[in-house]
Amino acid sequence: QVQRTMQSSGHRFRDVEHHPLLAENDSYDSSSSEADMAERVWFIRDGCGMVCAIMTWLLVVYADFVVTFVMLLPSKDFWYSVINGVLFNCLAVLALSSHLRTMLTDPGAVPKGNATKEYMDNLQLKPGEVIYKCPKCCSIKPERAHHCSICKRCIRKMDHHCPWVNNCVGEKNQRFFVLFTVRENQQQHDFNLFFSVTKYVVFTECSDFSPPVTVILMIFLCLEGFLFLTFTAVMFGTQIHSICNDETEIERLKSEKPTWERRLRWEGMKSVFGGQPSLLWINPFAGFRIRQILLRSKKGGPEFSV
């Protein structure tokens, strides 16, 4: 640890990685870099993460193709095909929308390089007060923030970095990540397994594909559904556990002693999903403002913040 003293203001910096003193709700509205971040589209340029995100979309598209063209359209029951087809495709759209919101939402990044004398003066700290700075991105670390080596930023309430959404799961996008795991786990892939089993049992309603091709497609769909069901069930359980205990996965793994006042379980849920229970809790489009994106594109196209 390196301790630096600013002679002009009396503030002390300390380069550390954990246990900062600034509260997580401290506002940095006076920073110009924060305003610049708000005007940018958040996207992580990580090769592995982009490949994983594309694979996720391809698997959802593959499931939609098999369910629609192999199982539903050849069915002799018209209303069975229509109702289940509309329901399945709506769930697929919601799943991909939740994935996009998780991937393209700023997870709560702290502005880079804000540990300057001018910035310190705007914070109006008491002389001699110790604050903590991340030595990797040269930013003041709020409480419960951790540095992500892939995003190359400090993330507020960082839970983990998920390559499948090519982003960190943090303070601002945890809700969308939970919605994504719900769609994939309890709805879409459960439908995959259900359709695959019923189609195999009722084999008289075969698709336009040959029987061997149909069986192979359904086997791959069952394997995909089982693997995603297991993965998303685990992730959904850990996320709900973290929210209810007001403890991120990093804090749990590092056994960090809480320096903050833990929220009650219900208060934690309202904090993550936003206010009192409503349909907005399960709506991945909540807060999405397409007008701002169109205005940014007219100004010269979106900028990537990372």
Side-chain angles (χ1 to χ4, degrees):
Q1 296 182 354
V2 181
Q3 183 171 337
R4 301 175 181 176
T5 304
M6 299 184 65
Q7 300 293 339
S8 59
S9 61
H11 303 140
R12 291 184 294 166
F13 282 114
R14 183 174 295 170
D15 293 344
V16 294
E17 196 60 29
H18 313 293
H19 304 301
L21 295 181
L22 290 181
E24 59 176 302
N25 294 324
D26 283 347
S27 175
Y28 296 132
D29 294 337
S30 59
S31 174
S32 60
S33 58
E34 187 81 36
D36 294 339
M37 284 174 55
E39 295 298 325
R40 298 177 180 177
V41 176
W42 180 268
F43 183 79
I44 303 300
R45 294 172 177 171
D46 176 58
C48 177
M50 288 187 285
V51 170
C52 291
I54 292 173
M55 286 179 59
T56 302
W57 275 65
L58 291 178
L59 289 173
V60 175
V61 172
Y62 169 77
D64 186 76
F65 169 79
V66 175
V67 169
T68 302
F69 292 97
V70 179
M71 302 179 185
L72 294 180
L73 289 183
S75 176
K76 297 178 181 179
D77 191 336
F78 175 77
W79 289 110
Y80 171 85
S81 299
V82 171
I83 294 174
N84 286 287
V86 171
L87 182 60
F88 182 84
N89 283 277
C90 287
L91 295 176
V93 170
L94 291 175
L96 294 179
S97 300
S98 301
H99 183 274
L100 271 180
R101 291 302 302 273
T102 307
M103 181 170 62
L104 301 180
T105 299
D106 178 0
V110 180
K112 282 184 178 180
N114 61 359
T116 62
K117 180 181 181 299
E118 293 77 15
Y119 201 86
M120 293 290 300
D121 293 337
N122 290 331
L123 292 178
Q124 298 179 352
L125 299 173
K126 298 178 181 180
E129 184 174 353
V130 178
I131 62 175
Y132 292 91
K133 182 187 75 170
C134 175
K136 297 178 182 178
C137 58
C138 297
S139 62
I140 298 176
K141 292 192 66 172
E143 187 176 27
R144 306 184 68 182
H146 291 83
H147 185 87
C148 176
S149 59
I150 299 177
C151 296
K152 297 180 175 60
R153 303 288 282 272
C154 284
I155 308 296
R156 294 173 182 265
K157 290 183 65 176
M158 175 182 170
D159 188 85
H160 69 286
H161 184 94
C162 180
W164 296 104
V165 297
N166 190 34
N167 201 1
C168 278
V169 177
E171 184 179 64
K172 295 183 179 180
N173 68 345
Q174 189 175 23
R175 175 169 73 95
F176 302 120
F177 183 74
V178 174
L179 291 179
F180 172 66
T181 59
V182 169
R183 299 294 194 278
E184 291 292 295
N185 174 25
Q186 297 180 343
Q187 297 174 340
Q188 190 188 34
H189 287 283
D190 287 349
F191 267 94
N192 293 351
L193 293 174
F194 172 75
F195 285 138
S196 298
V197 172
T198 54
K199 185 65 182 181
Y200 185 81
V201 174
V202 190
F203 197 73
T204 54
E205 297 181 358
C206 189
S207 67
D208 296 333
F209 297 91
S210 62
V213 174
T214 302
V215 172
I216 292 175
L217 291 174
M218 288 192 297
I219 289 175
F220 275 108
L221 184 63
C222 281
L223 291 175
E224 176 197 344
F226 177 76
L227 292 176
F228 264 82
L229 181 64
T230 304
F231 172 75
T232 54
V234 172
M235 294 307 301
F236 175 76
T238 56
Q239 289 301 300
I240 296 299
H241 180 270
S242 298
I243 294 173
C244 291
N245 289 276
D246 195 15
E247 181 183 46
T248 66
E249 191 66 16
I250 291 180
E251 292 165 350
R252 186 185 68 82
L253 292 175
K254 293 185 176 181
S255 300
E256 295 186 3
K257 295 182 179 180
T259 57
W260 62 94
E261 184 178 355
R262 294 197 182 210
R263 296 188 179 97
L264 299 176
R265 293 183 179 181
W266 190 241
E267 292 299 323
M269 295 291 290
K270 291 194 294 184
S271 174
V272 171
F273 288 93
Q276 296 296 328
S278 66
L279 292 178
L280 295 178
W281 278 29
I282 58 175
N283 181 14
F285 302 101
F288 181 73
R289 299 172 183 170
I290 191 171
R291 183 179 178 183
Q292 289 186 358
I293 296 179
L294 294 176
L295 290 175
R296 292 173 192 172
S297 62
K298 291 181 180 179
K299 293 179 180 179
E303 297 182 65
F304 294 105
S305 60
V306 177

